[in-house]
Coordinates of all heavy atoms in Angstrom, one line a residue:
Chain A
H318 N -97.1 154.4 28.6 CA -97.6 154.0 29.9 C -98.6 152.9 29.8 O -98.8 152.2 30.7 CB -98.2 155.2 30.6 CG -97.3 156.2 31.1 ND1 -96.6 156.0 32.4 CD2 -96.8 157.3 30.7 CE1 -95.8 157.0 32.6 NE2 -95.9 157.8 31.6
H319 N -99.3 152.9 28.6 CA -100.3 151.9 28.5 C -99.8 150.6 27.8 O -100.3 149.6 28.0 CB -101.5 152.5 27.6 CG -102.1 153.7 28.3 ND1 -102.7 153.6 29.5 CD2 -102.0 155.0 27.9 CE1 -103.1 154.9 29.8 NE2 -102.7 155.7 28.9
N320 N -98.9 150.8 26.9 CA -98.5 149.6 26.1 C -97.0 149.4 26.3 O -96.2 149.8 25.5 CB -98.8 149.8 24.6 CG -100.2 149.8 24.4 OD1 -100.9 149.0 24.8 ND2 -100.7 150.9 23.7
E321 N -96.6 148.9 27.4 CA -95.2 148.8 27.6 C -94.5 147.5 27.4 O -93.4 147.3 27.7 CB -94.9 149.3 29.1 CG -94.9 150.8 29.1 CD -94.9 151.4 30.5 OE1 -95.5 150.7 31.4 OE2 -94.4 152.5 30.7
D322 N -95.2 146.6 26.9 CA -94.6 145.3 26.6 C -93.8 145.2 25.4 O -92.8 144.5 25.3 CB -95.6 144.2 26.6 CG -95.9 143.7 28.0 OD1 -95.0 143.1 28.6 OD2 -97.0 143.9 28.5
E323 N -94.1 146.1 24.4 CA -93.3 146.1 23.2 C -92.0 146.7 23.4 O -91.9 147.8 23.9 CB -94.1 146.8 22.1 CG -95.2 146.0 21.4 CD -96.5 146.0 22.3 OE1 -96.4 146.1 23.5 OE2 -97.5 146.1 21.6
G324 N -91.0 146.0 23.1 CA -89.6 146.6 23.3 C -88.9 146.7 22.0 O -87.7 146.9 21.9
S325 N -89.7 146.7 20.9 CA -89.0 146.6 19.6 C -88.5 148.0 19.3 O -89.1 149.0 19.6 CB -90.0 146.1 18.6 OG -91.1 147.0 18.6
I326 N -87.4 148.0 18.6 CA -86.8 149.3 18.1 C -87.6 149.6 16.8 O -88.0 148.7 16.1 CB -85.3 149.1 17.9 CG1 -84.7 148.6 19.1 CG2 -84.7 150.4 17.4 CD1 -83.2 148.2 18.9
G327 N -87.8 150.9 16.6 CA -88.6 151.3 15.5 C -87.8 151.2 14.2 O -86.7 150.8 14.1
T328 N -88.5 151.5 13.1 CA -87.9 151.5 11.8 C -87.2 152.8 11.5 O -87.2 153.7 12.4 CB -88.9 151.3 10.7 OG1 -89.8 152.4 10.7 CG2 -89.8 150.0 11.0
S329 N -86.7 153.0 10.4 CA -86.0 154.3 10.1 C -87.0 155.4 10.0 O -86.6 156.6 10.0 CB -85.2 154.2 8.8 OG -86.1 153.9 7.7
M330 N -88.3 155.2 9.8 CA -89.3 156.3 9.8 C -89.9 156.5 11.2 O -90.9 157.0 11.4 CB -90.4 155.9 8.8 CG -89.9 155.9 7.4 SD -89.4 157.5 6.9 CE -91.0 158.3 6.6
H331 N -89.1 156.0 12.2 CA -89.5 156.0 13.6 C -90.0 157.4 14.0 O -89.2 158.3 14.0 CB -88.3 155.5 14.4 CG -88.7 155.1 15.7 ND1 -89.5 154.0 16.0 CD2 -88.3 155.5 16.9 CE1 -89.6 153.8 17.3 NE2 -88.9 154.7 17.9
G332 N -91.2 157.5 14.4 CA -91.7 158.7 15.1 C -92.3 159.7 14.1 O -92.9 160.6 14.5
V333 N -92.1 159.5 12.8 CA -92.5 160.5 11.9 C -94.0 160.7 11.8 O -94.5 161.8 11.8 CB -91.9 160.2 10.5 CG1 -92.5 161.2 9.4 CG2 -90.4 160.4 10.5
T334 N -94.7 159.6 11.7 CA -96.1 159.7 11.6 C -96.8 159.9 12.9 O -98.1 159.9 13.0 CB -96.7 158.5 10.9 OG1 -96.5 157.3 11.7 CG2 -96.0 158.3 9.5
A335 N -96.1 159.8 14.0 CA -96.7 160.0 15.3 C -97.6 158.9 15.7 O -98.4 159.0 16.7 CB -97.4 161.3 15.5
R336 N -97.6 157.8 15.0 CA -98.4 156.7 15.4 C -97.6 155.5 15.9 O -98.2 154.6 16.5 CB -99.3 156.2 14.2 CG -100.6 157.0 14.1 CD -101.5 156.4 13.1 NE -102.0 157.4 12.2 CZ -101.8 157.3 10.9 NH1 -101.2 156.2 10.4 NH2 -102.2 158.2 10.1
E337 N -96.3 155.5 15.7 CA -95.5 154.4 16.2 C -95.4 154.5 17.7 O -95.4 155.6 18.2 CB -94.1 154.4 15.6 CG -94.0 154.0 14.1 CD -94.1 155.2 13.2 OE1 -94.9 156.2 13.6 OE2 -93.4 155.2 12.2
Q338 N -95.1 153.4 18.3 CA -94.8 153.4 19.7 C -93.4 153.9 19.9 O -92.5 153.2 19.5 CB -94.9 152.0 20.2 CG -95.7 152.0 21.4 CD -97.0 151.5 21.5 OE1 -97.2 150.4 21.7 NE2 -98.0 152.4 21.3
V339 N -93.2 155.0 20.5 CA -91.9 155.5 20.8 C -91.6 155.4 22.3 O -92.4 155.9 23.0 CB -91.7 156.9 20.3 CG1 -90.2 157.3 20.4 CG2 -92.1 157.0 18.8
F340 N -90.5 155.0 22.7 CA -90.2 154.9 24.1 C -89.3 156.0 24.5 O -88.6 156.6 23.7 CB -89.7 153.5 24.5 CG -90.8 152.5 24.2 CD1 -90.8 151.8 23.0 CD2 -91.8 152.3 25.0 CE1 -91.8 150.9 22.7 CE2 -92.8 151.4 24.7 CZ -92.8 150.7 23.5
S341 N -89.3 156.2 25.8 CA -88.6 157.4 26.4 C -87.2 157.5 26.0 O -86.5 156.6 25.8 CB -88.8 157.4 27.9 OG -90.1 157.4 28.2
F342 N -86.8 158.7 25.9 CA -85.4 159.0 25.5 C -84.5 158.9 26.8 O -85.0 158.9 27.9 CB -85.3 160.4 25.0 CG -86.3 161.4 25.5 CD1 -86.2 161.9 26.8 CD2 -87.5 161.7 24.8 CE1 -87.2 162.7 27.4 CE2 -88.4 162.5 25.3 CZ -88.3 163.0 26.6
S343 N -83.2 158.9 26.5 CA -82.4 158.7 27.7 C -82.2 160.1 28.4 O -82.2 161.1 27.7 CB -81.0 158.2 27.2 OG -80.4 159.1 26.4
V344 N -82.0 160.0 29.7 CA -81.8 161.2 30.4 C -80.3 161.6 30.4 O -79.4 160.9 30.7 CB -82.2 161.0 31.9 CG1 -81.7 162.1 32.8 CG2 -83.7 160.8 32.0
Q345 N -80.1 162.8 29.8 CA -78.7 163.2 29.7 C -78.2 163.9 31.0 O -77.0 164.1 31.2 CB -78.5 164.2 28.6 CG -79.0 163.7 27.2 CD -78.1 162.7 26.6 OE1 -76.9 162.9 26.6 NE2 -78.6 161.6 26.2
G346 N -79.1 164.3 31.8 CA -78.7 165.0 33.1 C -78.9 166.5 33.0 O -79.2 167.1 34.0
E347 N -78.7 167.1 31.9 CA -79.0 168.5 31.9 C -80.4 168.7 31.5 O -81.1 167.8 31.0 CB -78.1 169.3 30.8 CG -76.7 168.7 30.6 CD -76.7 167.6 29.6 OE1 -76.9 167.8 28.4 OE2 -76.4 166.5 30.1
D348 N -80.8 169.9 31.6 CA -82.2 170.3 31.3 C -82.3 170.7 29.9 O -82.3 171.8 29.5 CB -82.7 171.4 32.2 CG -84.1 171.2 32.7 OD1 -84.7 170.2 32.2 OD2 -84.6 172.0 33.5
D349 N -82.3 169.7 29.0 CA -82.3 170.1 27.6 C -83.7 170.2 27.0 O -84.5 169.4 27.4 CB -81.5 169.1 26.7 CG -81.7 167.7 27.1 OD1 -81.4 167.4 28.3 OD2 -82.3 166.9 26.3
G350 N -84.0 171.2 26.3 CA -85.3 171.4 25.7 C -85.5 170.4 24.6 O -84.5 169.9 24.0
P351 N -86.7 170.1 24.4 CA -87.0 169.0 23.4 C -86.6 169.4 22.0 O -86.2 168.5 21.3 CB -88.5 168.8 23.5 CG -89.0 170.1 24.2 CD -87.9 170.6 25.1
S352 N -86.6 170.6 21.7 CA -86.3 170.9 20.3 C -84.8 170.8 20.1 O -84.4 170.7 18.9 CB -86.8 172.3 20.0 OG -86.3 173.2 21.0
S353 N -84.0 170.9 21.1 CA -82.6 170.8 20.8 C -82.1 169.4 20.9 O -81.0 169.1 20.7 CB -81.8 171.7 21.9 OG -82.1 171.1 23.2
H354 N -83.1 168.5 21.2 CA -82.7 167.1 21.4 C -82.8 166.3 20.1 O -83.9 166.2 19.6 CB -83.6 166.5 22.5 CG -83.1 165.2 22.9 ND1 -82.5 165.0 24.1 CD2 -83.2 163.9 22.4 CE1 -82.2 163.7 24.3 NE2 -82.6 163.1 23.2
T355 N -81.8 165.9 19.6 CA -81.9 165.1 18.4 C -81.7 163.6 18.7 O -80.9 163.2 19.5 CB -80.8 165.4 17.3 OG1 -79.6 165.5 18.0 CG2 -81.1 166.8 16.7
V356 N -82.6 162.8 18.1 CA -82.5 161.4 18.4 C -82.0 160.6 17.3 O -82.4 160.8 16.1 CB -84.0 160.9 18.8 CG1 -84.3 159.6 18.2 CG2 -84.2 160.9 20.3
R357 N -81.0 159.8 17.6 CA -80.5 158.9 16.6 C -81.4 157.7 16.6 O -81.7 157.1 17.6 CB -79.0 158.5 16.9 CG -78.1 159.6 16.7 CD -76.7 159.3 17.1 NE -76.3 157.9 17.3 CZ -76.2 157.4 18.5 NH1 -76.3 158.0 19.6 NH2 -75.8 156.1 18.6

Side-chain angles (χ1 to χ4, degrees):
Chain A
H318 285 278
H319 302 292
N320 294 306
E321 278 168 331
D322 272 295
E323 281 82 324
S325 56
I326 304 173
T328 65
S329 59
M330 291 297 281
H331 198 59
V333 169
T334 63
R336 270 191 236 123
E337 287 93 324
Q338 225 107 89
V339 184
F340 297 98
S341 301
F342 30 76
S343 61
V344 169
Q345 304 287 313
E347 328 84 68
D348 218 357
D349 40 296
S352 52
S353 63
H354 191 104
T355 46
V356 140
R357 288 172 19 251

